[in-house]
Amino acid sequence: MTERSFKYLDERLGTASLARTALRKVFPDHWSFLLGEIALFSLVVLIFTGVFLTFFYTPSVQEVIYDGPYEPLRGAHVTAAYDSVMRISFEVRAGLLMRQTHHWAALVFVAAIVIHLCRVFFTGAFRRPREVNWLVGVLLLFLALGEGFTGYSLPDDLLSGIGLRIFYAVTLAIPVIGTWATYLLFGGEFPAPDIISRLFVFHVMLLPALLIALVGVHIAILVLQKHTQFPGHGRTERNVVGKRLWPEQTFKSLSLLLFTTAVLALLGGLAQINPVWQYGPFEPFNVTSPAQPDWYIGFLDGALRLGPPWDLTLFGFTISEVFWPAVLFPGIAFGILTLWPWIERRFTKDRAEHHLLDRPRDTPVRTGIGAAGLMVFFIMFLEGGNDIFGVLLNVPVETITRILQWGLVVAPIVTFLVTYWICKGLSRSRLRPAQINAGVRLSRTADGGYETVSLEPASSDGERAPAATGPHGE
């Protein structure tokens, strides 16, 4: 029956040849190529745990009286959204495990995308013909950030409410369309009654659908195009050296899926995250301190704290101080990130196809720019916790902010120069075996004599290959 079914499909769709081609596809055997798979498997965990949480979550700001088992809040007036999150945490069987696993998976998902994007950037994997897949990857990062923020806001606790208030101010700071955009998103002035239900629709329907569709496009382009690989013995621009999809790569990916799921489940069960019962329900007149967002939004919080207090009025429109760090800076930074393949091509005039990756040390300018960019985001991330550092170090918050403002100017320049110097040094040092004189090797011949075998300089992964032979010592 099964054989007849496959034969029926093969005669009409040619499935046998398609499956044969797909199963023979070769994947490079390098650990860094698994970063994208970690992001994919985290998304799988997010979908399964998210579906479970959707069964019990109530996306409403209607006021109810909490009467659950958490004694400190019993009798308190809370929203239905917050009440349902408390019930998921304390009354639904395995609810807290699912909620914390979902939150940890979101953090790992965004982290895996960021690290994967850095690997693509520093190795030049975005170059022709993979510019479209670079755009898809950047879009996936945007959607992951949006998905994370909308999910972070749904519990309607005090911490997420503060984040929503900041987001309201940032949206309002957009010139010309700010007021209209805030009304469209929030449904009125903050705190608006419709915001939770609208975020819920974004979080469980629109953004996941776009994410899944773009992941499909990302993988389809990967299958259609030749996979990139690091240079080494036997690896050229015309081939791919590695493991076939079946069976080696398939079992490796399945093992990684199980490992990722196990780690996230362990984190969800053993490592507490986002204890909404400690923060309490959101009240617009309350602020908790120190309040910290999830790590991937920390740079925006820090940018707001570092930004200059500049208010400007042009043509009757007021540009508030929130605009410069929270709208202009991310717009420029992510604009450069999106257009980087074309920016680099304009300066390098390199229009050739590339299937072999660069070693970061061999492209010191690109590596230095990337390191400097990461330093900018790192300083902003540090500034997002200036109140915590002030308490821990017993230093005024204003002092920490002043130091980091100077650091924001100086540190990226120093980072670029140091990175450039290190890359140039590595290129000239013995750590780059491609420039080492490989020498010769003596080899015994079949008639009892000897011959020398000249060795080519080693490839960048340390492998050597014989290049030429000649008689010697007969």
Side-chain angles (χ1 to χ4, degrees):
M1 178 67 180
T2 304
E3 184 177 352
R4 286 201 301 269
S5 300
F6 279 115
K7 185 177 180 181
Y8 179 86
L9 291 174
D10 185 40
E11 289 174 350
R12 286 153 180 81
L13 303 176
T15 52
S17 61
L18 288 175
R20 194 179 301 113
T21 302
L23 294 177
R24 287 178 177 176
K25 183 172 177 59
V26 176
F27 288 81
D29 189 17
H30 193 273
W31 65 267
S32 64
F33 291 99
L34 299 179
L35 293 170
E37 293 192 24
I38 293 176
L40 176 63
F41 300 149
S42 299
L43 179 61
V44 173
V45 175
L46 278 170
I47 292 172
F48 278 100
T49 53
V51 169
F52 177 89
L53 295 175
T54 306
F55 292 150
F56 305 98
Y57 177 73
T58 305
S60 170
V61 294
Q62 181 182 359
E63 190 174 280
V64 298
I65 296 177
Y66 178 73
D67 60 354
Y70 188 68
E71 192 64 33
L73 286 178
R74 185 170 292 176
H77 292 260
V78 301
T79 62
Y82 183 82
D83 181 72
S84 65
V85 175
M86 290 292 289
R87 295 190 185 281
I88 290 172
S89 303
F90 290 106
E91 299 177 58
V92 175
R93 184 170 295 179
L96 183 59
L97 171 65
M98 289 293 183
R99 193 172 75 79
Q100 295 197 145
T101 302
H102 190 74
H103 202 131
W104 278 114
L107 300 184
V108 173
F109 176 56
V110 181
I113 290 179
V114 170
I115 298 173
H116 179 61
L117 203 67
C118 287
R119 199 273 300 169
V120 172
F121 176 86
F122 285 110
T123 60
F126 55 81
R127 293 172 296 175
R128 185 183 178 190
R130 296 178 178 80
E131 300 96 327
V132 175
N133 227 8
W134 170 264
L135 288 180
V136 173
V138 174
L139 279 175
L140 280 172
L141 175 61
F142 291 151
L143 291 174
L145 293 176
E147 183 74 348
F149 179 76
T150 52
Y152 168 87
S153 305
L154 289 181
D156 200 30
D157 61 292
L158 184 55
L159 189 61
S160 66
I162 294 173
L164 270 180
R165 180 159 51 194
I166 295 173
F167 179 64
Y168 179 85
V170 171
T171 310
L172 198 62
I174 301 174
V176 183
I177 65 169
T179 305
W180 177 82
T182 50
Y183 184 82
L184 178 66
L185 289 173
F186 285 79
E189 292 188 357
F190 186 83
D194 299 331
I195 184 60
I196 293 297
S197 58
R198 293 185 181 187
L199 289 177
F200 182 70
V201 173
F202 274 99
H203 187 69
V204 305
M205 294 180 63
L206 298 179
L207 294 178
L210 291 173
L211 267 174
I212 293 172
L214 278 180
V215 167
V217 173
H218 195 62
I219 295 175
I221 294 176
L222 179 68
V223 172
L224 291 174
Q225 293 180 335
K226 186 187 302 179
H227 209 300
T228 57
Q229 60 183 345
F230 284 101
H233 177 51
R235 300 168 188 169
T236 70
E237 295 278 6
R238 303 175 61 84
N239 68 356
V240 178
V241 177
K243 295 178 177 178
R244 294 191 182 280
L245 175 61
W246 180 264
E248 296 97 337
Q249 185 64 34
T250 300
F251 283 101
K252 178 190 282 189
S253 297
L254 285 175
S255 301
L256 185 61
L257 169 62
L258 297 176
F259 178 77
T260 304
T261 305
V263 170
L264 292 175
L266 280 175
L267 285 171
L270 302 176
Q272 179 177 279
I273 189 168
N274 198 19
V276 294
W277 52 90
Q278 292 184 5
Y279 305 138
F282 175 62
E283 297 289 351
F285 48 82
N286 284 338
V287 175
T288 182
S289 181
Q292 301 298 319
D294 285 336
W295 73 267
Y296 47 83
I297 301 294
F299 81 92
L300 192 60
D301 194 6
L304 284 166
R305 302 185 191 195
L306 282 173
W310 295 341
D311 281 337
L312 187 64
T313 301
L314 288 175
F315 307 107
F317 294 98
T318 299
I319 301 177
S320 74
E321 59 186 276
V322 177
F323 169 77
W324 314 107
V327 180
L328 183 63
F329 164 71
I332 294 175
F334 284 99
I336 293 174
L337 180 69
T338 304
L339 299 176
W340 182 259
W342 294 272
I343 295 173
E344 180 174 306
R345 181 188 302 173
R346 181 170 182 81
F347 284 96
T348 62
K349 310 297 182 187
D350 182 4
R351 302 181 184 279
E353 286 195 5
H354 294 278
H355 303 291
L356 286 176
L357 299 174
D358 289 331
R359 299 284 181 183
R361 65 191 176 211
D362 296 331
T363 54
V365 174
R366 181 202 298 151
T367 304
I369 292 174
L374 290 176
M375 178 57 70
V376 170
F377 280 90
F378 181 66
I379 290 176
M380 291 182 173
F381 176 79
L382 289 180
E383 175 64 11
N386 62 357
D387 46 353
I388 294 179
F389 292 124
V391 173
L392 293 177
L393 303 176
N394 196 24
V395 175
V397 172
E398 294 79 6
T399 302
I400 294 175
T401 299
R402 184 65 63 186
I403 292 173
L404 291 177
Q405 281 176 335
W406 278 105
L408 192 62
V409 177
V410 176
I413 299 174
V414 174
T415 302
F416 173 82
L417 294 176
V418 170
T419 305
Y420 183 86
W421 175 75
I422 291 175
C423 290
K424 296 295 283 187
L426 288 174
S427 298
R428 292 191 297 265
S429 73
R430 295 179 63 83
L431 293 177
R432 188 183 184 191
Q435 294 183 349
I436 300 174
N437 183 10
V440 297
R441 184 182 64 196
L442 287 178
S443 178
R444 193 72 181 266
T445 61
D447 57 0
Y450 292 91
E451 65 179 5
T452 58
V453 179
S454 300
L455 297 177
E456 281 188 341
S459 59
S460 55
D461 63 351
E463 297 182 52
R464 301 179 186 281
T469 60
H472 177 75
E474 289 184 356

